[in-house]
Amino acid sequence: MRTTALHLWGPALFALGSSALKNGLALKPQLGWNTWNSFACDLNETVILDTAERIVSLGFKDLGYEYVILDDCWSAGRNESGYLVYDEAKFPNGISHVADKVHDMGLKIGIYSSAGTMTCGHYEGSLRHEEKDAALWASWGIDYLKYDNCYNEGEEGTPKLSFDRYNAMGKALNKTGRPILYAICNWGVDGPWNFAPTIANSWRTSGDLSNVWDRDDVNCPCTETDGLDCKLPGYHCSIMNVLNMAAYYPSKAFEGAWNDLDMLQVGNGGLTDDESIAHFSLWAAVKSPLLMTNVMTKIDAKTLSILQNPAVLAVSQDPLGSVAIRRWRYYVDDTDEFGKGEIQMYTGPLSGGDQLVVLLNAGSKPREMNATLVDIFWADGPDGTASEIQKSWDIYDLWANRMSDDDAWAIINGTSSQGASMNGPTGYNLSAMGGFEKVYSETPTSSSKMLMGSKVGSVNPSGTVKAHVRPHGVPC
Ligand code: GAL
């Protein structure tokens, strides 16, 4: 008999139906790496192939990270026939050559364009060139498109205008016959959670995420109060700004159609270790795509041990595909420099009858935090009527078995006796276990240290889960 378990910290929401896009992709939130945050316009063949090689050799591929995505600035206009051309200085052997190499490593490759006349970096956009561009990318072997929103000629302002503009590319991608994951990046304008699930695999929900925990910035003017109808999503948005907007629409995501809170900032400086853990945990809990953006050739031990926590990746890839919801939020007196100290609890079901609980301390002091079973299972029966409340639960800390710095450095330096993809002291090798898809889709059991962390306590019927939580952290 399985032990029913509460996963402490790790979070989830309700998955309904199957992808309306029907390309069979992103049935779990996509995992991968993108050039933008670390390389901006300085991407090239070497960057892509070096990164792909590290994704394999460091064990990221074995854990499920799959897509290597070229963001803005890869192109150099259109040729006389109207087809996009790649920048020959950056890609001297062409992009199909890079795609072949990436495929040879067992990975997939993504590209970027904008549903406008120009990309945000002022390169050629794809508006009214959808079919030619999609056909070209398919001929190169592209597996993923990130499709931005710059210079859209004013074709937004109603969900229908945005839908039509993004649907044109979705149809063009489908017409190629090649399965190409379609990731819309319109920063939440016109409510893509309403119009995009039938035409795309994921949609950005807000402005560009910066590597800062909580900071007001004039370039990210929308707050959660106007975030649902944001006219200028912008950039330099903080983790808390993006998270607090995303708290409102977890029910819009389902298999093959995910809310995208933007790429990970883990390993890019700017965040403390606790902030990075909280960021990664929450993005996994709300089933955002997990796209790393750190410089893989310069990765450090702490970055590796966060991005390679299999217990958190198993939450992201959980078979239920259920997004954690924010069950409560309280403001606290210990504020940060912007005066917004708060604590929150996210929870949701995981496969096999387990439940994810994330206690987030966004205040500036460490604190003891509590979550009652009544609150955790509120959605299953308000006022304490849910049958789950009458059960005892074991509590597992999903960060308990984080890889040690020594083990992580050994992997990075290529001196690990266990080799990459052996996850530190737990010593699991997902390839040897039949691959990450199989491992993550098997119901985690309390005997799996890799997927469950460690048992740290239990809670009696009608009881309360308690944890010590550091500032800007989740229990760990
Ligand atoms: C932004 C987008 C970023 C990045 C950038 C490239 O609009 O949100 O993620 O793609 O454009 O110019």
Side-chain angles (χ1 to χ4, degrees):
M1 207 175 95
R2 306 189 56 254
T3 311
T4 313
L6 277 173
H7 297 234
L8 186 56
W9 85 256
L13 199 152
F14 307 107
L16 305 171
S18 58
S19 168
L21 183 60
K22 293 192 174 63
N23 63 5
L25 300 173
L27 298 181
K28 304 291 172 289
Q30 60 265 34
L31 307 178
W33 182 89
N34 175 297
T35 52
W36 185 250
N37 287 345
S38 285
F39 292 94
C41 283
D42 292 332
L43 77 173
N44 57 41
E45 175 177 322
T46 307
V47 165
I48 300 300
L49 296 184
D50 283 357
T51 302
E53 187 281 319
R54 295 293 269 176
I55 286 173
V56 176
S57 64
L58 295 176
F60 286 100
K61 172 174 171 278
D62 281 346
L63 288 160
Y65 292 97
E66 184 176 28
Y67 291 97
V68 179
I69 302 157
L70 285 61
D71 207 288
D72 204 353
C73 312
W74 59 266
S75 68
R78 289 185 184 277
N79 63 21
E80 285 174 359
S81 313
Y83 286 98
L84 287 168
V85 292
Y86 53 81
D87 183 327
E88 288 185 12
K90 292 172 179 167
F91 298 97
N93 300 301
I95 290 186
S96 62
H97 166 83
V98 177
D100 289 347
K101 294 268 183 198
V102 168
H103 290 152
D104 288 348
M105 291 187 232
L107 297 168
K108 292 184 172 156
I109 186 162
I111 209 158
Y112 161 100
S113 190
S114 180
T117 52
M118 287 192 288
T119 71
C120 301
H122 299 179
Y123 292 79
E124 278 288 318
S126 294
L127 188 64
R128 291 182 270 283
H129 297 277
E130 291 84 357
E131 291 207 358
K132 276 195 169 167
D133 292 358
L136 180 70
W137 297 324
S139 77
W140 287 347
I142 295 293
D143 307 296
Y144 184 118
L145 174 66
K146 171 177 174 178
Y147 203 37
D148 216 332
N149 194 34
C150 278
Y151 304 101
N152 60 29
E153 306 273 282
E155 290 183 27
E156 66 174 13
T158 70
K160 182 74 169 101
L161 280 172
S162 288
F163 173 85
D164 286 346
R165 193 160 40 86
Y166 281 95
N167 193 29
M169 181 55 84
K171 286 201 279 195
L173 293 175
N174 286 343
K175 198 173 165 191
T176 67
R178 183 175 176 84
I180 299 178
L181 193 156
Y182 186 29
I184 287 181
C185 174
N186 88 327
W187 326 303
V189 176
D190 293 331
W193 40 86
N194 286 328
F195 72 77
T198 56
I199 57 168
N201 295 108
S202 63
W203 52 90
R204 276 273 300 280
T205 52
S206 45
D208 288 11
L209 184 75
S210 189
N211 54 351
V212 60
W213 176 255
D214 190 11
R215 184 185 174 88
D216 291 338
D217 192 298
V218 70
N219 295 303
C220 178
C222 295
T223 63
E224 61 189 286
T225 48
D226 51 13
L228 300 177
D229 190 22
C230 178
K231 297 282 189 288
L232 186 56
Y235 52 99
H236 289 179
C237 300
S238 70
I239 305 274
M240 289 305 294
N241 173 286
V242 167
L243 180 69
N244 281 333
M245 286 198 205
Y248 295 101
Y249 35 74
S251 62
K252 299 299 184 180
F254 56 93
E255 275 194 348
W258 308 108
N259 294 306
D260 175 1
L261 278 62
D262 203 4
M263 302 171 284
L264 295 169
Q265 289 285 6
V266 178
N268 292 342
L271 299 177
T272 66
D273 194 54
D274 283 328
E275 290 168 350
S276 301
I277 288 171
H279 167 34
F280 187 59
S281 301
L282 285 156
W283 263 231
V286 301
K287 302 292 190 281
S288 173
L290 298 178
L291 299 177
M292 308 179 286
T293 61
N294 56 299
V295 180
M296 276 297 164
T297 50
K298 295 185 179 162
I299 192 168
D300 60 27
K302 294 216 178 296
T303 300
L304 184 105
S305 64
I306 291 174
L307 296 170
Q308 293 201 359
N309 182 341
V312 180
L313 290 166
V315 168
S316 158
Q317 305 292 297
D318 183 80
L320 269 189
S322 186
V323 180
I325 58 168
R326 189 173 74 193
R327 181 58 42 74
W328 53 245
R329 170 197 211 175
Y330 297 106
Y331 295 97
V332 293
D333 289 338
D334 49 301
T335 58
D336 59 24
E337 60 187 301
F338 298 100
K340 289 189 293 191
E342 58 180 291
I343 57 175
Q344 305 183 355
M345 190 267 280
Y346 292 78
T347 189
L350 294 168
S351 57
D354 293 343
Q355 184 79 10
L356 187 63
V357 179
V358 185
L359 289 164
L360 170 65
N361 177 11
S364 59
K365 286 189 203 155
R367 54 176 23 92
E368 305 307 315
M369 290 183 68
N370 303 313
T372 64
L373 289 182
V374 171
D375 278 345
I376 292 169
F377 294 107
W378 187 261
D380 303 302
D383 298 326
T385 57
S387 60
E388 289 88 345
I389 297 165
Q390 306 312 325
K391 291 196 247 168
S392 296
W393 295 80
D394 289 333
I395 303 171
Y396 287 80
D397 174 2
L398 299 185
W399 282 98
N401 295 325
R402 180 180 179 183
M403 195 189 300
S404 71
D405 285 356
D406 283 351
D407 285 344
W409 277 122
I411 289 176
I412 294 166
N413 295 330
T415 56
S416 171
S417 57
Q418 298 176 322
S421 78
M422 301 296 287
N423 290 286
T426 53
Y428 287 92
N429 180 328
L430 271 63
S431 291
M433 294 166 74
F436 64 88
E437 280 155 331
K438 176 171 182 289
V439 175
Y440 295 145
S441 66
E442 283 172 355
T443 304
T445 69
S446 55
S447 62
S448 170
K449 281 190 174 176
M450 179 183 67
L451 296 181
M452 292 290 280
S454 284
K455 185 176 166 186
V456 291
S458 56
V459 54
N460 291 326
S462 302
T464 299
V465 176
K466 297 179 183 172
H468 179 80
V469 191
R470 294 196 291 262
H472 300 182
V474 295
C476 58

